[in-house]
Amino acid sequence: MLLNSRQMQGDADIQTMRELIRHLPDQAGIDDFEEMIQLESVKATVRLWQSGHRLAGFAFVDDFNNLILAMDPELITDELETEIFAWGAFCMRERNLQTGRLDTLDASCSRDNIQRIRLLERHWFKQCDLHTLRYARSLDEPIVDYPLPPGFSLRCALGEHEAEQLAALHRAAFGSDHMTVEYRLAIMRAPRYNAELDLVVIDPNGEMAAFCICGLEEGQDQVGYTDPIGTHPRYQKMGLGKAVVTAGFQALRNRGVKTVELGTSSENIAMQCLAESLGFKLVSERLWFALKVD
């Protein structure tokens, strides 16, 4: 099979990538594709491999140093695999040169995806201790109402002019700099984003105190999600998380959603406890792998 590779050229390529993802039996870690592909920093790392006029695979490195890849099962070859991983390593080396850091190239897959685990191990990725937990809950079960404390109110995001405040709230809630204004805007510009499901708790002074981004899973109108969820450190342990998530339950159920999901890190014990207290049950795990790119 003769392979040709090139960088992404425009919206037509994005649509071709969407089609490949849609037909994969396991999306293998491309859950946030629509948000990521909005970012110019991500677009600059996208590479596509074609066999004739057919897309054989693509890969890019997101802003968090994760290698995201997809391959047509009918067109997978050793050459394609090798070129994809070589591209990821190249992008990571270039990034480290620019930042002066020695970050690893990371990747993830379902614990049950033995084929992808073996693929990563063949290309020298080492499994990390950290993993991602996926929880699910049926909305046919009763939804307990958790009222907000006096003076607090709930509303949806009002538009892109709030992106800076929303990003700052996310960073404060998680004690991390991972949420940039650019990425928050990418979330808000994704095709299936619904501002009415982007929920924010407002404190008595009119400041943002907690949030929960809800939505419908791509191609699954009866499956929704309620994450990320976060509360500003000033307002933790006041029940804001439960209030905003259960409001999300009601909003999603009103839109015909039957099952709601959320994900969190194996290190985030507080979020695991919140999920279990709201009736979520652990349904799957995603393993993480890292590659040194000296």
Side-chain angles (χ1 to χ4, degrees), residues 24 26-28 56-59 67-73 76-86 105 107-110 113-127 289-291:
L24 291 177
D26 179 352
Q27 292 189 9
F58 68 82
L67 175 62
I68 310 299
L69 65 98
M71 296 182 286
D72 185 326
I76 294 175
T77 63
D78 290 344
E79 179 188 7
L80 177 60
E81 290 181 5
T82 298
E83 290 195 19
I84 281 178
F85 283 98
L105 178 65
S108 70
C109 71
S110 166
N113 192 339
I114 304 302
Q115 183 178 11
R116 179 56 63 93
I117 292 171
R118 289 175 178 166
L119 172 65
L120 292 170
E121 290 175 342
R122 280 200 305 275
H123 291 275
W124 309 106
F125 280 75
K126 303 296 182 185
Q127 187 175 333
F289 298 79
L291 174 71

Side-chain angles (χ1 to χ4, degrees), residues 156-177:
C156 61
L158 300 179
E160 292 186 5
H161 67 279
E162 291 193 316
E164 186 170 352
Q165 292 172 272
L166 292 164
L169 174 60
H170 185 114
R171 293 193 300 269
F174 287 96
S176 164
D177 60 0

Side-chain angles (χ1 to χ4, degrees), residues 11 34-35 43 52 74 78 91 100-101 121 145 181 183 199 211 253 259 273 275-277 285 294:
D11 290 344
E34 295 296 349
E35 289 85 355
K43 289 179 181 178
E74 297 179 0
D78 290 344
C91 291
R101 298 167 62 94
E121 290 175 342
D145 181 33
V181 175
Y183 194 78
L199 304 178
F211 69 94
R253 187 160 70 177
T259 301
C273 292
E276 291 166 4
S277 72
E285 293 182 64
D294 301 332

Side-chain angles (χ1 to χ4, degrees), residues 1-241:
M1 178 178 70
L2 180 62
L3 280 177
N4 294 306
S5 71
R6 60 177 175 83
Q7 289 188 270
M8 193 184 79
Q9 296 175 351
D11 290 344
D13 282 340
I14 294 175
Q15 184 57 37
T16 304
M17 295 159 71
R18 286 190 184 113
E19 290 298 323
L20 176 56
I21 293 170
R22 192 171 294 123
H23 291 95
L24 291 177
D26 179 352
Q27 292 189 9
I30 319 182
D31 299 336
D32 298 325
F33 174 82
E34 295 296 349
E35 289 85 355
M36 291 185 286
I37 206 63
Q38 305 287 328
L39 299 166
E40 294 302 321
S41 55
V42 169
K43 289 179 181 178
T45 72
V46 176
R47 197 160 192 85
L48 297 90
W49 284 262
Q50 289 181 280
S51 175
H53 295 292
R54 185 170 167 183
L55 182 63
F58 68 82
F60 59 84
V61 178
D62 71 14
D63 285 352
F64 308 116
N65 303 334
N66 300 315
L67 175 62
I68 310 299
L69 65 98
M71 296 182 286
D72 185 326
E74 297 179 0
L75 299 176
I76 294 175
T77 63
D78 290 344
E79 179 188 7
L80 177 60
E81 290 181 5
T82 298
E83 290 195 19
I84 281 178
F85 283 98
W87 174 250
F90 170 79
C91 291
M92 198 64 237
R93 286 193 196 96
E94 291 294 300
R95 184 171 295 177
N96 282 342
L97 283 173
Q98 293 173 6
T99 62
R101 298 167 62 94
L102 294 174
D103 291 333
T104 58
L105 178 65
D106 301 328
S108 70
C109 71
S110 166
R111 180 182 290 278
D112 300 327
N113 192 339
I114 304 302
Q115 183 178 11
R116 179 56 63 93
I117 292 171
R118 289 175 178 166
L119 172 65
L120 292 170
E121 290 175 342
R122 280 200 305 275
H123 291 275
W124 309 106
F125 280 75
K126 303 296 182 185
Q127 187 175 333
C128 305
D129 292 334
L130 179 74
H131 50 282
T132 300
L133 307 176
R134 196 72 182 165
Y135 289 84
R137 181 199 196 278
S138 170
L139 291 185
D140 289 334
E141 298 174 5
I143 299 174
V144 178
D145 181 33
Y146 290 96
L148 289 165
F152 287 78
S153 60
L154 179 75
R155 65 167 172 82
C156 61
L158 300 179
E160 292 186 5
H161 67 279
E162 291 193 316
E164 186 170 352
Q165 292 172 272
L166 292 164
L169 174 60
H170 185 114
R171 293 193 300 269
F174 287 96
S176 164
D177 60 0
H178 281 176
M179 180 57 71
T180 62
V181 175
E182 291 75 17
Y183 194 78
R184 195 49 163 91
L185 285 170
I187 291 172
M188 300 172 86
R189 292 169 180 172
R192 288 176 68 83
Y193 171 77
N194 185 334
E196 294 180 356
L197 297 174
D198 192 351
L199 304 178
V200 187
V201 175
I202 305 300
D203 75 5
N205 298 315
E207 301 294 326
M208 295 182 179
F211 69 94
C212 177
I213 304 177
C214 306
L216 275 65
E217 293 288 0
E218 182 70 32
Q220 302 182 63
D221 288 342
Q222 292 191 337
V223 180
Y225 58 83
T226 55
D227 71 83
I229 308 157
T231 302
H232 194 285
R234 285 197 302 267
Y235 302 112
Q236 289 173 1
K237 302 188 183 302
M238 294 179 62
L240 303 189

